Amino acid sequence: GNAVGALNVNLDNNKSTLIAVPFVGYGDKGAVAVQDMVKTSDLAEGSKLYVADGKGNYNVWSLDANGKWISPKNVLIDNKGASSVQSTAPANPVTVNRGDSFWLEPIFKTDKASGTVFLLGQGTTEPGTSTIATGSWNLIGNTATDTDGKKVPAGAEGEKVCVPNATGGLDTYTFRNSQWRKEGVTDRTVVATITIQPGRGFWFLSKGTTSIAW
């Protein structure tokens, strides 16, 4: 009886991209499990998925030959030169909230320069909202699935938005004098409109904003 939601997003092969979480988990209105977020049948072994753990680090999973997200071992070196091996949590119990975003590095089986990834979850007609922690950087994304893009609304003075661009870098915008303005030698005084496409994520530094409705 659950309505399955699917949103197709075109991505470059073997390139990390910020992806939004547009749906909720199956059977309830909560967060979606990492293992359910991405359709893996079009992806090759070695594709990677990075999810922030809320402590300044990332959980990292790699796709195995059976289309399952596995936890690679991580070797950490402390300030005394000693090494320790740690594992990322299994993808099954880890969840991500609708309106957040994660990094996806796809390797497509077609070996073409780009391909299509399907984001999955339980479909809902309710508008999505990104919950934002003030005073820190947040990974959030556009949850809308039926538009050409959504504009980032007016923020608080000093807030920043970092949007991935086509060259693999980030375009940074700051809310100054009641307007978004792009950082750069020639852009700082120009009023900017920030449009986030469906299924795309970005960084948001909050100085007072607590949520964005999509």
Side-chain angles (χ1 to χ4, degrees), residues 2-154:
N2 293 333
V4 176
L7 175 65
N8 60 304
V9 181
N10 294 322
L11 301 177
D12 291 333
N13 192 27
N14 207 18
K15 177 182 175 182
S16 294
T17 305
L18 266 177
I19 306 299
V21 181
F23 303 111
V24 295
Y26 298 110
D28 57 34
K29 296 299 181 182
V32 62
V34 165
Q35 67 172 8
D36 297 330
M37 293 193 305
V38 179
K39 178 175 176 283
T40 60
S41 59
D42 301 318
L43 300 177
E45 182 179 4
S47 297
K48 288 184 172 60
L49 189 154
Y50 305 79
V51 176
D53 64 2
K55 302 176 183 178
N57 302 310
Y58 289 96
N59 286 315
V60 185
W61 296 275
S62 180
L63 197 67
D64 67 10
N66 298 314
K68 301 294 184 182
W69 295 110
I70 60 173
S71 306
K73 298 290 185 180
N74 295 318
V75 179
L76 303 179
I77 308 298
D78 64 21
N79 55 11
K80 296 181 179 180
S83 63
S84 61
V85 178
Q86 297 186 357
S87 294
T88 295
N92 184 24
V94 179
T95 59
V96 184
N97 294 317
R98 186 185 187 204
D100 289 348
S101 65
F102 60 96
W103 292 97
L104 179 63
E105 187 177 314
I107 300 176
F108 293 105
K109 291 180 178 178
T110 59
D111 200 31
K112 293 182 179 179
S114 62
T116 300
V117 167
F118 287 88
L119 306 180
L120 304 175
Q122 177 164 298
T124 174
T125 58
E126 298 176 1
T129 299
S130 295
T131 301
I132 298 172
T134 59
S136 61
W137 285 97
N138 296 259
L139 277 172
I140 60 176
N142 180 4
T143 65
T145 60
D146 58 353
T147 69
D148 293 330
K150 290 282 190 177
K151 296 178 181 178
V152 177

Side-chain angles (χ1 to χ4, degrees), residues 172 176 180-192:
T172 301
R176 296 194 309 271
W180 288 111
R181 303 176 193 275
K182 187 176 180 180
E183 294 299 327
V185 176
T186 61
D187 299 319
R188 289 177 59 85
T189 60
V190 179
V191 175

